[in-house]
């Protein structure tokens, strides 16, 4: 069975910092990360989506975490086709014309920023979360192929938000496509019976890494405030139902990342700690 790492999709979320999960004296930037890394072995850098990451931060993160810790870095919004405000770009690029030249420069800066993590063995995955309008088709497949080419040598993970990718009549083709590209499919847990719901599947498309993200099961998914979308506390039975699927995936991959994105107060880290306990329990005999 592969190495199973369970964590949260942020360690800096304001509500987490004020929740009391961090002890007194460890609530500054360095103390938070050192404390988090002493409790959980992987974290997602969701801030990479909102602004280009900083190489200096990557160097500090390496210094503040132990060998074997993993950072899964979320790709910047411009790289996944999401709307990107000029203010999200570095100051010297804000007036640049939107087009291939700007995109090339952003790719280069993103790669430069995360390289210290890769060199230190801390880069668990670079997560490309594509928007709900990124539907299956020839154009999307070309975009995925270009993405795989630009990220050659990186641990690439792909999360779709358009449910068509994992529809019953398309799922095998999607898995085969990601396998050809050397990309890890990202499984999700979320509320079902919504227009944009994705099924709770966990295909393993790359031997090196499998990833699943738990978004919570709020019926407000896709609308409302951040708190409305992600406010959810998993109960033990909901987490336990995933254990067989996670163990199967771990049996097919060298490493499995299980990340909780229900980042309201300490709900994500508490769910991660509970899931670690469940996964470390005895395996039922057949």
């Amino acid at each position: 069975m592969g190495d199973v790492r369970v964590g949260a999709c942020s360690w800096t979320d304001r509500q987490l910092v004020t929740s009391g999960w961090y002890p007194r004296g460890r609530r500054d930037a360095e103390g938070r990360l050192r404390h988090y890394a002493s409790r959980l072995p992987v974290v997602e850098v969701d801030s990479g989506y909102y602004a280009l990451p900083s190489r200096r931060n990557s160097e500090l993160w390496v210094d503040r975490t132990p060998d074997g810790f993993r950072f899964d870095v979320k790709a910047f919004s411009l790289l996944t086709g999401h709307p990107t405000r000029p203010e999200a770009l570095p100051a010297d690029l804000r007036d640049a014309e939107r087009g291939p030249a700007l995109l090339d420069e952003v790719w280069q800066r993103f790669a430069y920023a995360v390289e210290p993590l890769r060199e230190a063995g801390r880069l668990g995955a670079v997560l490309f979360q594509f928007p709900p309008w990124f539907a299956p088709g020839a154009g999307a497949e070309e975009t995925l192929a270009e993405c795989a080419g630009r990220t050659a040598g990186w641990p690439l993970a792909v999360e779709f938000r358009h449910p068509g990718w994992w529809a019953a009549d398309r799922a095998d083709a999607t898995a085969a496509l990601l396998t050809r590209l050397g990309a890890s499919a990202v499984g999700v847990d979320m509320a079902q019976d919504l227009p944009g719901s994705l099924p709770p599947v966990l295909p393993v498309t790359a031997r090196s890494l499998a990833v699943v993200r738990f978004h919570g099961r709020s019926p407000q998914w896709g609308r409302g405030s951040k708190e409305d979308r992600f406010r959810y506390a998993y109960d033990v039975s909901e987490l336990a139902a995933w254990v067989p699927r996670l163990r199967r995936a771990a049996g097919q991959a060298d490493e499995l990342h299980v990340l909780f994105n229900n980042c309201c107060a300490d709900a994500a880290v508490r769910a991660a700690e509970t899931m670690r306990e469940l996964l470390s329990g005895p395996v039922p005999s057949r």
Side-chain angles (χ1 to χ4, degrees):
M1 179 177 291
D3 187 12
V4 180
R5 297 171 180 272
V6 187
C9 290
S10 175
W11 78 95
T12 61
D13 185 82
R14 181 179 58 83
Q15 291 192 22
L16 173 60
V17 174
T18 60
S19 71
W21 189 75
Y22 289 110
R24 290 183 178 180
R26 306 201 79 178
R27 295 175 185 171
D28 63 307
E30 179 174 354
R32 289 195 303 265
L33 182 53
R34 289 191 183 279
H35 179 74
Y36 180 98
S38 73
R39 301 281 293 270
L40 296 165
V42 62
V43 74
E44 182 178 296
V45 184
D46 67 335
S47 60
Y49 170 82
Y50 300 100
L52 278 173
S54 154
R55 186 181 180 93
R56 177 56 179 157
N57 278 344
S58 293
E59 293 168 345
L60 290 172
W61 296 342
V62 170
D63 291 341
R64 295 169 179 176
T65 53
D67 290 341
F69 189 83
R70 300 284 190 270
F71 292 91
D72 287 2
V73 182
K74 201 169 182 182
F76 183 52
S77 59
L78 194 69
L79 305 183
T80 52
H82 285 86
T84 302
R85 297 176 296 105
E87 296 78 16
L89 292 163
D92 64 315
L93 297 181
R94 290 173 186 169
D95 294 328
E97 181 182 356
R98 298 293 175 103
L102 175 62
L103 191 61
D104 287 344
E105 180 65 22
V106 168
W107 270 105
Q108 291 175 17
R109 294 195 189 190
F110 185 88
Y112 178 75
V114 302
E115 183 61 17
L117 297 176
R118 193 191 67 80
E119 290 178 344
R122 301 286 205 284
L123 184 60
V126 181
L127 170 65
F128 284 77
Q129 176 194 294
F130 289 97
W133 55 87
F134 189 75
E141 291 189 16
E142 289 177 6
T143 297
L144 290 169
E146 179 184 359
C147 181
R150 288 185 183 264
T151 59
W154 297 0
L156 171 64
V158 173
E159 178 179 346
F160 297 115
R161 288 291 174 87
H162 190 292
W165 290 98
W166 298 117
D169 61 349
R170 169 76 201 194
D172 288 346
T174 297
L177 170 64
L178 294 179
T179 297
R180 289 196 302 273
L181 297 176
S184 298
V186 177
V188 299
D189 178 89
M190 62 179 298
Q192 298 298 298
D193 302 322
L194 299 176
S197 294
L198 285 90
V201 297
L202 181 50
V204 177
T205 59
R207 178 70 199 183
S208 57
L209 178 68
V211 183
V212 59
R213 301 175 78 225
F214 284 73
H215 294 303
R217 299 178 182 178
S218 169
Q220 299 300 313
W221 178 264
R223 61 184 187 275
S225 68
K226 173 182 179 290
E227 288 73 21
D228 291 335
R229 299 194 305 273
F230 294 104
R231 184 185 294 112
Y232 191 81
Y234 283 97
D235 64 40
V236 174
S237 64
E238 291 170 332
L239 299 178
W242 266 90
V243 168
R245 270 173 281 180
L246 296 176
R247 285 177 170 158
R248 282 196 298 271
Q252 301 172 55
D254 297 332
E255 196 162 297
L256 168 65
H257 291 187
V258 182
L259 293 157
F260 285 87
N261 196 28
N262 54 324
C263 295
C264 282
D266 61 354
V269 292
R270 297 298 183 192
E273 291 172 333
T274 299
M275 181 63 88
R276 287 188 78 191
E277 294 175 4
L278 291 169
L279 288 167
S280 65
V283 179
S285 58
R286 295 182 178 178

